Amino acid sequence: MKTTTILVRTLIGLILIFVSVAYFFNLLPELSTTGDFKAFQVGLISSVYLMPLVKTIELLCGLSYLSGRYVTLSNIIVLPVSTNILFINFFLNINGLPLALFVFLGNIFLIYRYWKNYKSLFIE
């Protein structure tokens, strides 16, 4: 189980780092989008601060996953991001669903594996 945890943590870390670095340095071409997904994407870009904030969170959590430090904190910080990535791909862009599902389920798996660190949050 320890090997699986390290593998999942490393893969998610690499994905998060790649996506955030690609965003900041414009390494990937813009995907052609249409309909509701395009409207949603334009709204995100128009907000100016939101995409850089999300990509910074992804970068920091990806570095945390790769280094193995502060993973418990990173699991909680990246959970809303991975949930939104899953919902966006489920409802608006079905092509990205497999990768989004892997990141979300991997995040849930890591929370399960580090559950002993979260137990104190639920004590009255």
Side-chain angles (χ1 to χ4, degrees):
M1 192 66 117
K2 185 175 181 176
T3 306
T4 306
T5 303
I6 293 171
L7 180 67
V8 169
R9 195 181 74 209
T10 303
L11 287 174
I12 292 175
L14 289 172
I15 291 169
L16 293 175
I17 289 172
F18 173 75
V19 170
S20 59
V21 168
Y23 172 81
F24 286 123
F25 293 107
N26 295 322
L27 299 177
L28 297 175
E30 267 191 54
L31 300 174
S32 60
T33 57
T34 58
D36 292 338
F37 185 58
K38 180 150 183 88
F40 181 76
Q41 190 176 24
V42 168
L44 285 177
I45 293 169
S46 297
S47 69
V48 181
Y49 76 94
L50 192 57
M51 285 307 291
L53 175 66
V54 169
K55 296 304 176 182
T56 301
I57 289 170
E58 287 177 358
L59 179 63
L60 293 174
C61 290
L63 291 171
S64 171
Y65 284 158
L66 284 184
S67 70
R69 298 179 54 103
Y70 305 109
V71 175
T72 304
L73 178 62
S74 293
N75 286 335
I76 296 300
I77 291 174
V78 85
L79 182 62
V81 174
S82 66
T83 303
N84 279 299
I85 290 169
L86 178 67
F87 287 161
I88 289 167
N89 284 288
F90 183 78
F91 290 110
L92 299 174
N93 181 24
I94 201 76
N95 296 332
L97 190 58
L99 188 59
L101 198 57
F102 173 75
V103 171
F104 176 75
L105 292 176
N107 189 218
I108 296 298
F109 172 75
L110 290 175
I111 289 172
Y112 168 75
R113 289 293 293 145
Y114 290 90
W115 186 251
K116 66 181 182 338
N117 298 337
Y118 301 113
K119 281 186 175 180
S120 64
L121 294 173
F122 299 102
I123 295 174
E124 285 187 41

